[in-house]
Amino acid sequence: MVETLVLKVNPKQPELEKIRVAAQVVRKGGLVVFPTETVYGLGANALDDAAVLKIFKAKERPADNPLIVHIADGDDLHILAEHVPSEAKKLITQFWPGPLTLLLRKSELVPDATTAGLATVAIRMPSHPIARALIAEADVPIAAPSANLAGRPSPTTAKHVLDDLSGRINIVIDGGAVGFGVESTVLDLTTEVPTVLRPGPVTVEELGQVLGEVKVHPVAKAEAPAEVVVAQAPGMKYKHYAPRAEVILVEGALDGMVSKIQELTVKHKSAGKKVGIMATVETARKYRADVVKVVGVRRKPKTIAKNLFKAFREFDEMGVDIVLAEGLKPKSIGLAIMNRLRKAAGYNIVRVRGSTKRLRSNAKRGFYKS
Ligand code: AMP
Ligand code: MG
C-alpha cells in the first residue's frame, strides 16, 4: 500500500506548482493518474520498464495487453516510432492533439514492457490541458492505460479512480469530469489498409475523409465474439468495461427494443432479480424497474458516451443484478458506444424487430387476411 495523494487541479488553467509535484513523481518512476479528454489515465514513464511494470501491477492488467504512450510534443513521435508514414502526418494535422491513437512500428527506445513485447507502439497526443502540462513538465513520454482495475469500466471522475486504485498509486490529479467519456480511437497504420482496432471519439467516417480507405477490425465492431488469432491487438480479447451486474443488450428498432426490455424486466423481476434499465431521455418514462437510469439523449449519442461508464458504476453501487441496455445505431460515436456495450454484455445480445417490419412480415405471411 502507498499513500495516495489527491491533487485538485484547475482543468482549464492547471496550476504549475501542482503539476510539477506530479511530474517529479513520474520522473522518479512513480504512478500518477491524470484526466484526459477521453477517460482518466494511469501514467508512468513510458521509457522506464520498472515504472511501466508498476502500472500492470496496480491495475492487475494482464502482461500481454500493451499500453498507449502519451506525448505532448509532436517531435517525440519520431523518437518512439521507427518510421512515420505519410498517412500519420495527415492524421496528426487533422486530429492531434485529440482522441486518436496511432499504431506504428516501435523504435528501440520503447521498452518491451510498454508494448507487451509487440513490435508496434500505440501513441497519442492528448488535448486535455492537465495531461499536456504533466507530460511536458515530466519531459518524458507517459504510458497510460485507463485508470481502472482491469476489466472494470473506465473512470470518468477522480472518485471512480479512487474506488479502484486508492493505495496503489502515488498521486491522482483531480481535474473534474472528462470530456468524451469513452477511450480514444485506436488506428493501426502498420497494415496495408489502415485499420480501426478500437472505435472511439474520432469516428471511422472522419478517418475515411482523410485516408480514403479505412477498415474496421471485426473485433472492433464486436458483433459477435471473435477469436483474436494474431497477437495484433491483444487487448481486444479481454472482456472489458463491465459492471459486476449481468448486462443484456437489446438491439433493433426502438419500439421493439422498448417492449423487449419491458418483457425482460418482468421476467427477471419475477425470478427475484434486481433489475436496472439503462434508458434514454426518449424512452425512460416507458419503463418500470428497480432502477431506471437516463444515460443520455438518443438523438445526441455523445451525451450517452459521456455517461456510459458512470452509469455502469452506479448500477453496481445500487446492487443491481441485471442491467438491460438499449442499442444504438453503430455509426459515428454510436459505434464506439456499441463496442463498449457489446463487450460489457459479453455478447449477450437480444435482437428485436420494430413494429413496422413486424407488421409487414406478418402481412406477407397472410396474418391479416380474413
Ligand atoms: P487502455 O488505454 O486501457 O484503454 O488500453 C489501451 C488499448 O490500446 C488496449 O486496447 C490495447 O490493446 C491497445 N494497444 C496499445 N498498444 C497496442 C499495440 N502495440 N498493438 C495493438 N493494440 C495496442
Ligand atoms: Mg482500459
Side-chain angles (χ1 to χ4, degrees), residues 125-194:
M125 188 194 284
S127 63
H128 195 293
I130 293 177
R132 303 203 63 180
L134 177 69
I135 303 163
E137 277 302 310
D139 203 21
V140 288
I142 296 186
S146 52
N148 51 280
L149 286 172
R152 297 269 298 138
S154 295
T156 55
T157 66
K159 180 192 173 286
H160 298 163
V161 174
L162 289 168
D163 287 345
D164 279 16
L165 300 178
S166 184
R168 298 174 182 232
I169 50 178
N170 301 104
I171 291 182
V172 49
I173 302 180
D174 181 353
V178 297
F180 291 107
V182 290
E183 307 86 344
S184 63
T185 307
V186 177
L187 182 70
D188 190 349
L189 287 179
T190 68
T191 43
E192 202 163 293
V193 178

Side-chain angles (χ1 to χ4, degrees), residues 300-320:
K300 297 179 187 161
K302 275 191 178 169
T303 59
I304 298 175
K306 204 173 161 106
N307 290 318
L308 184 71
F309 290 137
K310 181 163 156 256
F312 280 164
R313 283 177 181 262
E314 288 171 356
F315 280 124
D316 277 346
E317 277 169 18
M318 299 174 103
V320 163

Side-chain angles (χ1 to χ4, degrees), residues 85 104 126 149 171 184 208-209 222 227 238 262 321 323 338:
L104 300 166
L149 286 172
I171 291 182
S184 63
Q209 278 165 16
E227 285 276 313
Y238 297 108
Q262 284 163 332
D321 302 304
V323 173
M338 288 304 281

